[in-house]
Structures are given as structure tokens and as C-alpha cells.
Amino acid sequence: AFERALVLNPAALWIYDSLAALYFELGAPESAVHTLERALAEGVEQDPGLLESLGWVFTEWGMPERGEEVFALLADKYPDEIAGPKGLSEIQYRRGDLTGAIARLSAAVVAHPDVDGYTTLGWWLWEAGDVPGGRGSFEAAIGLDPANAIGAYQGLTSLLLDEGETARAEEVLREA
């Protein structure tokens, strides 16, 4: 159905994203990449959401260099979006540069507050041994959008339990 829709309207860039996501979920990364590369040819650079999808497909399927190129393009072309810096920080993290990833993501969430960004930052700060920083990031994510901060609630609860703050962890779970 998506392929037919593309024949009828190749400029409907969201269709490429949906089709690529379907291929990705079906375990066909080559088809997902091919679909998103077709989207690039059709003008996906005009859609930051599709650029982000392309970056994640490349990154998730073992092509971090291609993902990095796309996220860098996204960051340059859409400086008011967090997706580019967030993707670049994830690639840094996966390459083992926790300190650099934290620095990049910290700057990104200050400029563009984001629940997922703060949640990820919370996990990374905690991993780096900065418990107060991790806690603050989880709390910032929850403060932005409590209804969509499930990961932040999980992170904060885990951190509190690890620190022996069982009563506070139970309180956080009741709030979630």
C-alpha cells in the first residue's frame, strides 16, 4: 500500500518514513535504507523528521558513519531542532566517548528542552558517577512532561533505589 502511495504521490515524504519503519520492524534493514535513500532523492532534507529517521536507521543497523553524516546535516540545516545533536551524542556514546556525549547532549537539552534528551542524559550522568546530575536530569524530564516521561520515572526510581532511598523511590512510583 505504501509503495502504491509513493507512485501516486512521490512528494509525500511521510510515506517514506512509514514504509522504512515497516521494513525496519520486519527485519529488512537494506529495504529500510533503500527507502530512505529514495526519500533523500525526493527532498527529505526538507523534513527534519525524515532526516532523523534516516540517521537512526543507519545508526541502528551498524552504519554509524552514515548516521553521523545525516545527523550532522540535520544539526546544520535545522539548528532549532534537538534531533541532530541528540543523534550525534548517541553515536559518540556508542563509540565509547561518554564524556563527549554528555557534553554534547547537555548543551542540546539546555538549548532545546526535551524529555527524551533529559532522560538519556540522566542515564549517562549516572553511568559516569554523577548521581546528583543524573537525578536532576531525570527530574527535569519529568518536569517537562510527566505523562510522557516514563523512562525518566524508571531512571529516577532505579537511581533512588541504588542510593538506598527506598521511600523516595516508592513516592516517585506513585507519582508516575
Side-chain angles (χ1 to χ4, degrees):
F2 287 117
E3 289 287 353
R4 284 193 304 266
L6 285 174
V7 170
L8 296 173
N9 188 2
L13 298 176
W14 67 269
I15 297 171
Y16 290 98
D17 189 37
S18 298
L19 183 58
L22 181 62
Y23 283 138
F24 188 75
E25 290 298 318
L26 292 173
E30 303 83 14
S31 296
V33 169
H34 175 71
T35 299
L36 291 171
E37 286 176 337
R38 285 173 43 203
L40 275 174
E42 292 294 332
V44 73
E45 290 184 23
Q46 305 309 313
D47 186 329
L50 288 178
L51 272 178
E52 182 180 10
S53 292
L54 181 61
W56 286 115
V57 167
F58 283 139
T59 302
E60 292 299 322
W61 287 96
M63 297 174 268
E65 295 79 18
R66 300 271 322 263
E68 188 172 27
E69 290 171 19
V70 172
F71 286 127
L73 173 64
L74 182 58
D76 289 343
K77 197 163 180 77
Y78 299 96
D80 292 334
E81 301 274 339
I82 192 170
K86 198 160 61 171
L88 290 168
S89 67
E90 178 68 29
I91 290 171
Q92 272 185 284
Y93 175 79
R94 291 179 185 204
R95 289 181 175 153
D97 181 8
L98 179 59
T99 302
I102 288 171
R104 177 173 275 163
L105 188 54
S106 293
V109 295
V110 166
H112 310 288
D114 176 77
V115 169
D116 183 53
Y118 272 119
T119 301
T120 300
L121 184 60
W123 287 105
W124 291 351
L125 288 166
W126 184 20
E127 180 180 332
D130 182 357
V131 173
R135 183 177 185 156
S137 290
F138 291 135
E139 290 171 345
I142 293 166
L144 282 175
D145 188 359
N148 291 308
I150 293 169
Y153 280 112
Q154 291 171 333
L156 182 56
T157 302
S158 296
L159 183 148
L160 291 167
L161 288 172
D162 192 59
E163 293 295 305
E165 295 185 45
T166 306
R168 176 67 181 123
E170 289 172 357
E171 185 180 311
V172 167
L173 285 176
R174 279 192 293 280
E175 294 170 9

